[in-house]
Amino acid sequence: MELYVIRHGQSANNALQEGGRRVCDPPLTDIGEIQAERLARYLVANGRGADGTHPAGKQQNCAGFGFDRLFSSPMLRAIQTASPVGRALGIRPEIWIDIHEEGGIWLDEGDGRGEVGYPGLTRSEIAGRFPDFAVPEAITEQGWWNRPPEVRSEWRARARRVASVLHERFAGTGERIALVCHGGFANDLLHAVFAGMPDGVYFESPNTAVSRLDFNGKGWVQIRYLCRVTHLPPELITGSV
């Protein structure tokens, strides 16, 4: 398995100025939409050849694109990022709830209630705006969250669960698997893969950065690259988390 971990484009919350008001499920900014489109074009330009093989072969620094599966977080900014990628590559994106950002869908309204959980996108909202996506049954007309925010131990456990599922389903298969997710979750997933890293270490990803890890199915993980933003000019590289 070749695993590609991709952070979403710049969201409205990422771009907030000091004192700005956060939202619980922010959309992409105009810059974020440009980043997502550039990412999609880059992935197509560096995909497999007509014979199904990658033109760069298995070199250490090869791009290695040409995804077999494209998974997206259920959060709006991730879906908006995965959408042009799926269209460009001719792949149907699949929503994977467990790769959402740390904490889930929540907001502190400043009214004394503290951090309150919100539903997230409902099944019909996703179908109406993103009809090409495969949506799991767990996303209903009541959304997919509707509970208090996660705590750190919960999101770290979720990342370990995702790492286990990836290994069990795809390690050793040779498939190329892409996850469009979030800065915090990407950090947690890398901690899950590299067990034993100190908690103070944070793997920071710029918006739409691509990281690649290869799993051979025998317990070996090869780090091809982390946080590649070759598809972005300097003025479009953003990374506030």
Side-chain angles (χ1 to χ4, degrees), residues 31 98 213-214:
I31 287 176
D98 264 357
L213 309 173
D214 291 359

Side-chain angles (χ1 to χ4, degrees), residues 14-231:
N14 292 154
L16 280 179
Q17 301 298 315
E18 185 176 355
R21 183 172 176 78
R22 297 178 66 86
V23 295
C24 63
D25 196 9
L28 294 182
T29 62
D30 291 343
I31 287 176
E33 292 181 356
I34 294 171
Q35 291 169 334
E37 292 291 346
R38 281 181 172 266
L39 170 67
R41 292 199 298 269
Y42 175 67
L43 295 174
V44 169
N46 292 275
R48 293 174 179 162
D51 61 356
T53 62
H54 189 277
K58 285 293 185 179
Q59 301 172 26
Q60 172 65 25
N61 201 36
C62 67
F65 306 128
F67 303 146
D68 296 292
R69 305 282 292 273
L70 174 62
F71 292 101
S72 172
S73 155
M75 290 176 158
L76 178 57
R77 56 200 184 274
I79 296 176
Q80 288 179 306
T81 303
S83 184
V85 172
R87 287 196 305 272
L89 297 179
I91 301 175
R92 187 183 191 193
E94 306 170 55
I95 293 179
W96 187 350
I97 293 176
D98 264 357
I99 64 174
H100 67 77
E101 182 58 301
E102 296 173 348
I105 299 285
W106 62 271
L107 194 64
D108 188 342
E109 300 280 7
D111 56 7
R113 292 181 297 163
E115 298 174 350
V116 177
Y118 284 81
L121 292 170
T122 67
R123 190 174 195 86
S124 61
E125 286 172 338
I126 296 172
R129 296 182 61 179
F130 307 98
D132 294 336
F133 277 64
V135 183
E137 292 183 1
I139 298 181
T140 69
E141 289 310 303
Q142 285 70 52
W144 58 274
W145 188 250
N146 286 307
R147 56 186 183 273
E150 283 179 312
V151 297
R152 187 172 180 278
S153 61
E154 292 173 320
W155 65 62
R156 282 294 175 91
R158 175 166 53 84
R160 291 192 296 270
R161 184 165 66 246
V162 168
S164 295
V165 169
L166 287 167
H167 191 273
E168 291 167 4
R169 291 183 61 184
F170 302 113
T173 64
E175 290 192 67
R176 294 181 171 100
I177 309 299
L179 309 181
V180 179
C181 55
H182 306 266
F185 177 78
N187 170 65
D188 298 326
L189 183 60
L190 290 172
H191 271 273
V193 173
F194 307 131
M197 289 293 291
D199 287 341
V201 174
Y202 190 89
F203 298 95
E204 184 172 3
S205 301
N207 293 116
T208 66
V210 183
S211 298
R212 173 180 166 184
L213 309 173
D214 291 359
F215 294 70
N216 72 352
K218 300 178 181 178
W220 286 50
V221 179
Q222 187 171 29
I223 307 168
R224 292 289 188 176
Y225 46 81
L226 296 176
C227 301
R228 180 176 283 181
V229 287
T230 312
H231 54 287

